[in-house]
Amino acid sequence: MSNCFSIAKAFEWYHRYSFSKAGLQSTTTDLGEGTVMHCWAPKAHNPSKPNLLLIHGMGANAMWQWNQFISHFVPHFNLYVPDLVFFGESHSTRPDRSEAFQAQCVMGLMEAQGASKNMRVVGISYGGFVAYNMATRFKDRVERVVLCCSGVCMEDRDMEEGLFKVKSVDEAVSVLLPQNAEKMRELLRLTFVKPNLKAPSCILNDFINVLGKEHYEEQKGLIHALHKDRKLSDLPKMTQPTLLIWGEEDQVFPLELAHRLKRHLGENAELVIIKNAGHAINVEKPKEMCKHIESFLMDIPPPPKQHNHNNGHKVD
């Protein structure tokens, strides 16, 4: 579809327009040693507001995963929405593929922006691994943390023991980083409760060509690094107040990992499970997800409980 109208590029333009209209500007920061970070940042920093950092997961860039949320957060926070290294307009010549490297780069970016203190951090999926690492390494700068469908407490043996739908890391890569239309449909089936599989292959391939080709090898390395020699006993405990949000039918990081993480963090963590939602809760249930994030970050008392099976429920 290189010579035809690109739906993916049209969406990309729309997301850029939405971010700019919300009061954010596109910024680029050179961190040195071959690493450049792109971030959507406030056009005018307000020192009376806390800083909120939104960290995206695997897939496209930050705009695609946070577009439905920014208008809710901009009035209350200095909002920063970076592209992680090897996503969007962020890149590096360094060989490090760990989430610790990503966390270091994000903190370097926030320091360059003058916003590395009084931070609230929200990470979804892979972004949650980065957020967790930031919270444990920079305890005095990160005040509150929200992790959404982020299996940071997984172990390398979980794959062998059948916890995941995929049987190997290479199989996970082939689904999470689809390179053809059929693999894209497999990703949709894995991440949505009710996936829309009617899109023709030409449109799916358009999205892959625009969003999924650049930095493929580097992103593949990120997934491999995430699983290598991972043990719960090596995972430090966050001390900040933490909100865990999970789709009840998540097939990427199954709900067992949410309960495991809650047990690991103890009383510092609160778990909210959203019904009729899978891994892509930011797309399937954005209003519910946003409501829980806002009330937690702004200390808004929760509304009276409603007897509605569609509402997210808290787990002690």
Side-chain angles (χ1 to χ4, degrees):
M1 290 187 66
S2 58
N3 295 324
C4 302
F5 172 75
S6 170
I7 293 178
K9 287 184 178 179
F11 271 106
E12 185 92 347
W13 177 89
Y14 170 72
H15 291 329
R16 286 185 176 276
Y17 170 78
S18 298
F19 272 58
S20 180
K21 185 179 180 182
L24 302 179
Q25 61 182 340
S26 175
T27 67
T28 301
T29 302
D30 189 338
L31 298 178
E33 299 184 1
T35 302
V36 174
M37 292 285 287
H38 173 263
C39 181
W40 288 94
K43 294 178 180 177
H45 182 93
N46 185 340
S48 67
K49 292 181 180 180
N51 301 316
L52 175 58
L53 175 65
L54 303 181
I55 309 180
H56 67 84
M58 284 288 167
N61 55 51
M63 293 188 298
W64 289 80
Q65 297 187 21
W66 295 115
N67 185 60
Q68 297 189 70
F69 297 81
I70 54 172
S71 62
H72 296 278
F73 296 142
V74 164
H76 310 291
F77 302 95
N78 293 306
L79 186 61
Y80 295 86
V81 192
D83 289 331
L84 292 173
V85 181
F86 308 125
F87 296 89
E89 299 174 47
S90 297
H91 53 87
S92 178
T93 58
R94 294 182 61 182
D96 198 333
R97 301 292 181 262
S98 67
E99 67 257 42
F101 173 63
Q102 295 278 8
Q104 176 187 333
C105 291
V106 174
M107 183 55 74
L109 165 71
M110 295 299 284
E111 288 174 347
Q113 294 279 352
S116 62
K117 297 180 180 179
N118 307 119
M119 287 193 297
R120 276 83 161 164
V121 182
V122 181
I124 186 168
S125 191
Y126 176 72
F129 288 77
V130 180
Y132 196 102
N133 194 281
M134 289 184 68
T136 55
R137 291 176 65 187
F138 308 106
K139 297 179 182 180
D140 58 331
R141 305 190 195 184
V142 177
E143 295 182 345
R144 285 181 173 241
V145 182
V146 181
L147 304 178
C148 307
C149 294
S150 187
V152 295
C153 60
M154 70 177 181
E155 300 188 283
D156 52 8
R157 67 180 184 179
D158 288 330
M159 187 82 71
E160 301 172 5
E161 296 177 357
L163 180 63
F164 303 113
K165 290 287 183 179
V166 295
K167 305 303 180 186
S168 69
V169 179
D170 285 333
E171 185 182 352
V173 168
S174 72
V175 178
L176 296 176
L177 304 176
Q179 296 299 294
N180 58 58
E182 190 47 49
K183 282 297 181 181
M184 178 67 87
R185 293 189 180 94
E186 191 174 341
L187 175 62
L188 294 173
R189 283 190 288 266
L190 186 69
T191 53
F192 287 82
V193 172
K194 296 180 179 179
N196 182 357
L197 304 175
K198 296 180 181 179
S201 294
C202 62
I203 291 180
L204 297 179
N205 284 323
D206 174 43
F207 277 87
I208 292 170
N209 289 331
V210 172
L211 303 170
K213 293 290 187 182
E214 191 175 14
H215 300 308
Y216 170 77
E217 288 299 327
E218 291 88 346
Q219 292 176 16
K220 178 179 176 181
L222 297 177
I223 295 175
H224 275 275
L226 212 57
H227 286 266
K228 186 178 180 181
D229 300 327
R230 196 170 194 96
K231 293 180 175 60
L232 181 61
S233 59
D234 295 333
L235 186 69
K237 292 186 179 182
M238 291 191 298
T239 57
Q240 299 91 337
T242 303
L243 175 64
L244 311 176
I245 304 178
W246 232 271
E248 188 172 45
E249 300 181 50
D250 193 331
Q251 299 184 83
V252 176
F253 292 125
L255 193 56
E256 160 59 25
L257 294 177
H259 293 292
R260 184 188 296 177
L261 184 56
K262 173 67 175 73
R263 290 192 297 270
H264 182 70
L265 294 176
E267 294 182 356
N268 284 333
E270 175 184 319
L271 172 60
V272 171
I273 299 170
I274 298 182
K275 290 184 174 293
N276 300 318
H279 188 68
I281 53 173
N282 57 317
V283 180
E284 290 188 301
K285 300 287 184 178
K287 291 182 179 179
E288 283 189 49
M289 180 175 158
C290 189
K291 176 191 69 176
H292 290 296
I293 292 174
E294 280 188 317
S295 64
F296 176 75
L297 294 181
M298 299 172 62
D299 291 320
I300 300 174
K305 291 183 178 180
Q306 300 178 10
H307 300 289
N308 185 335
H309 70 279
N310 289 323
N311 288 342
H313 58 280
K314 295 181 181 180
V315 178
D316 296 326

